[in-house]
Amino acid sequence: MGELIHMVGQTRTPSGGSGECSPGGRTRTASAEHPSRRRRGPEPLWRGYVGAQLRAERVAVGLRLVDAAARAGVSPQYLSEVERGLKDPSSELLAAMCGALDLTVIELVTRVLTVPAAGDRSGPNDGTSLGAGTRAQLTLAA
């Protein structure tokens, strides 16, 4: 937006908003926190859902990890990390992994968006699932 005008103990933006200035010079706004940001834990990551669905599909078609990795052209260690939600693959690698399982990326995304309720084994490793609102937002984004 614009430059900040520093005053003793306060900061003003050109638009007139104000906030407290912390010792490090960073500005904290005085506005209340948005209700959707008050969560009990960290937001589940997309890579967790994608990895869980990749693993579920690999197991469903009866492929061993090493065989699926070889078909995708990636190392078994990398595929394992993707399946566990530790790595976020590039679109090219994701397409290769999907291809190894005879899936398209669109089919995988559709399956991720329709993850069943929390606690289902096809969700990410932390037992969470995408809520209906999140599914709707992701559907609109796609």
Side-chain angles (χ1 to χ4, degrees):
M1 284 222 185
E3 61 189 297
L4 295 176
I5 303 167
H6 291 282
M7 297 171 23
V8 179
Q10 292 240 355
T11 306
R12 289 202 179 271
T13 62
S15 62
S18 66
E20 291 181 348
C21 189
S22 65
R26 294 191 178 133
T27 303
R28 293 178 295 190
T29 59
S31 63
E33 187 176 338
H34 192 277
S36 68
R37 294 187 184 166
R38 287 184 230 140
R39 300 184 192 248
R40 296 189 177 186
E43 182 74 20
L45 299 177
W46 175 252
R47 67 182 183 217
Y49 294 108
V50 169
Q53 283 303 143
L54 282 171
R55 176 175 283 173
E57 183 63 25
R58 178 180 59 77
V59 169
V61 297
L63 275 176
R64 296 180 315 155
L65 182 74
V66 294
D67 297 330
R71 289 173 81 176
V74 299
S75 72
Q77 295 84 1
Y78 184 74
L79 180 56
S80 174
E81 289 175 333
V82 169
E83 286 184 353
R84 290 181 288 141
L86 302 176
K87 295 284 185 182
D88 199 0
S90 68
S91 57
E92 291 85 3
L93 287 175
L94 185 60
M97 289 180 239
C98 287
L101 302 172
D102 296 324
L103 277 178
T104 66
V105 174
I106 296 298
E107 289 170 329
L108 177 70
V109 169
T110 301
R111 291 176 187 190
V112 169
L113 293 176
T114 57
V115 170
D120 186 288
R121 299 184 67 86
S122 63
N125 296 331
D126 62 1
T128 60
S129 67
L130 292 173
T134 305
R135 281 196 294 270
Q137 289 173 353
L138 290 172
T139 302
L140 290 174

